[in-house]
Amino acid sequence: MDSSTLLGCLGERIRPPVGIILGSPREAAALVTELSTREVTCYQMDLYQADRLRQELAEFGQAAEVATAPDLWDLPQQFQTVIYPAPEGGERSLKIDMIEQAFHALRANGMFAVLSPFERDPFFPPALKKVFGRVHAPGAANGRLFYCHRDGDRPRRRHEMTFNVRVDEGPSLHFISRPGVFSYGRFDNGARALVEVMEVNEGERVLDLGCGCGTNGVYAGRKMNGTGHVTFADSNLRAIALAELNARNNGLASFETVVSASAEAERLGPASFDVILANPPYYANSSIAQMFIERSRDLLKPGGRFYLVTKQPDEMGPRIADAFGVTEPILHRGYTVLAAQSEETSPKR
């Protein structure tokens, strides 16, 4: 059953202004075309996904607003209808978080609708009931559509997990993480491998590229004993908010956060970093990892060091060698940390 049929089951219950939360860019753009109102805002927490959504909307000939924020309830506008095209996979915790936040993004008596990819979905009815109370499931939708209304008010519930990390013989550090950010609730083993082999010296400028909740950059900053400077960069606004929170909570003296979809040298400063740390996601044919490699070549100072952790060294190694020349693979904790150095005279172009 396609989205147009599911929306048809809601009929006149859909009232503007309408919010569409997350969903793939193509799916969200398709939903916009099916709605009979122009008062539509599409929410994304990642600038990369938001840019792709704008491209999809242009292809569909649609002109909806695309809004980005760390949280749905951060948006200034409240909606009469919120539609959530739930993914087949994805984090269970993020789905629960979006249900909670959708309640607070709705006007009084506003409607929240979930489009499920599964027939007879066992997850959403009890999860929705816990927040909204009564849940409706039209028979014509074959168990793939659920809707409910905001009745009254309830305290905001922040979904987050904390974890402690100790590296080598150093102190245990405390990190806050939230759904929708890489490695929710735990210190990723690849990140641990990276911070245990990286070389960071006092007074250096470090870039944590694709920082997530900021573990790598925080450890780099702590290793510099209050000297130097750390820049946290990510396309995910929730990740950036967490990186700033965790940097402050763990006592970093000098740091900044930068939200960027493509790590542009103009935003971050060409040839301005002594060390770049990268633990990229591997999807979209490793396009994000390739972008990290190319941008890092331009962002490093002459003689600067680049570290990328991977489980795909045969694929990533040649790409880094092509950008930097020589690559040193360091095997650690079941991962390969690929280390490279920019040219001493000037960054390779």
Side-chain angles (χ1 to χ4, degrees):
M1 184 177 293
D2 60 25
S3 60
S4 61
T5 305
L6 291 174
L7 292 182
C9 293
L10 293 173
E12 294 182 357
R13 294 186 182 90
I14 299 176
R15 292 179 294 163
V18 178
I20 297 174
I21 61 174
L22 303 182
S24 72
R26 177 159 290 273
E27 189 173 26
L31 284 172
V32 172
T33 65
E34 300 296 338
L35 294 168
S36 58
T37 176
R38 293 183 178 273
E39 294 182 67
V40 182
T41 299
C42 299
Y43 164 74
Q44 295 284 337
M45 67 174 63
D46 191 289
L47 293 189
Y48 180 77
Q49 291 292 86
D51 287 347
R52 288 184 55 211
L53 175 53
R54 292 186 183 96
Q55 295 170 10
E56 294 284 356
L57 288 168
E59 289 184 17
F60 279 100
Q62 299 295 322
E65 179 185 359
V66 178
T68 56
D71 293 288
L72 174 63
W73 59 36
D74 287 340
L75 299 185
Q77 181 184 35
Q78 282 194 306
F79 302 100
Q80 193 63 44
T81 304
V82 171
I83 300 171
Y84 180 25
E88 184 171 343
E91 291 180 64
R92 176 187 177 93
S93 55
L94 180 59
K95 295 174 183 178
I96 295 172
D97 187 41
M98 287 299 100
I99 293 172
E100 179 75 31
Q101 296 213 9
F103 181 94
H104 296 284
L106 283 169
R107 296 176 179 176
N109 300 314
M111 181 181 70
F112 179 51
V114 174
L115 310 184
S116 169
F118 303 108
E119 291 188 15
R120 312 302 177 192
D121 190 309
F123 169 75
F124 276 106
L128 289 166
K129 186 176 181 180
K130 184 176 292 187
V131 175
F132 284 88
R134 189 175 180 185
V135 181
H136 305 274
N142 293 328
R144 293 190 55 191
L145 168 65
F146 308 98
Y147 70 91
C148 34
H149 293 88
R150 174 173 177 168
D151 182 13
D153 205 353
R154 57 183 278 125
R156 287 188 177 186
R157 181 186 173 195
R158 167 72 73 187
H159 289 264
E160 63 185 21
M161 292 180 64
T162 60
F163 58 94
N164 293 314
V165 180
R166 185 187 299 275
V167 173
D168 298 326
E169 299 300 320
S172 178
L173 302 185
H174 180 79
F175 292 92
I176 297 173
S177 63
R178 291 171 186 157
V181 176
F182 175 69
S183 194
Y184 173 54
R186 63 186 178 87
F187 189 38
D188 174 64
N189 288 331
R192 181 179 287 277
L194 177 60
V195 301
E196 287 180 347
V197 305
M198 67 183 180
E199 178 190 340
V200 179
N201 302 313
E202 292 188 1
E204 292 189 315
R205 290 180 56 84
V206 177
L207 171 62
D208 186 355
L209 187 56
C211 62
C213 71
T215 54
N216 300 345
V218 167
Y219 265 100
R222 297 277 301 195
K223 201 168 185 178
M224 292 188 289
N225 297 319
T227 67
H229 182 82
V230 178
T231 298
F232 299 89
D234 205 295
S235 62
N236 186 310
L237 279 83
R238 183 173 284 188
I240 286 295
L242 287 167
E244 179 168 355
L245 179 64
N246 288 323
R248 293 191 187 282
N249 288 348
N250 286 291
L252 261 65
S254 179
F255 71 91
E256 65 180 324
T257 58
V258 178
V259 183
S260 173
S262 54
E264 309 94 331
E266 293 78 10
R267 290 285 311 281
L268 295 167
S272 59
F273 294 99
D274 300 286
V275 179
I276 296 179
L277 310 172
N279 183 10
Y282 291 98
Y283 55 81
N285 297 319
S286 299
S287 61
I288 303 299
Q290 181 64 34
M291 183 264 287
F292 280 7
I293 294 168
E294 293 174 356
R295 296 294 190 271
S296 295
R297 179 186 59 193
D298 297 327
L299 291 166
L300 279 173
K301 294 179 180 179
R305 303 179 300 285
F306 176 63
Y307 297 95
L308 182 144
V309 62
T310 182
K311 278 203 166 184
Q312 301 171 309
D314 293 340
E315 179 182 354
M316 292 296 109
R319 297 187 184 196
I320 295 175
D322 183 61
F324 290 94
V326 178
T327 303
E328 177 190 0
I330 306 169
L331 304 179
H332 190 57
R333 292 187 177 271
Y335 287 81
T336 301
V337 179
L338 297 168
Q341 189 170 6
S342 65
E343 295 179 354
E344 291 288 349
T345 53
S346 62
K348 184 178 177 180
R349 302 287 175 178

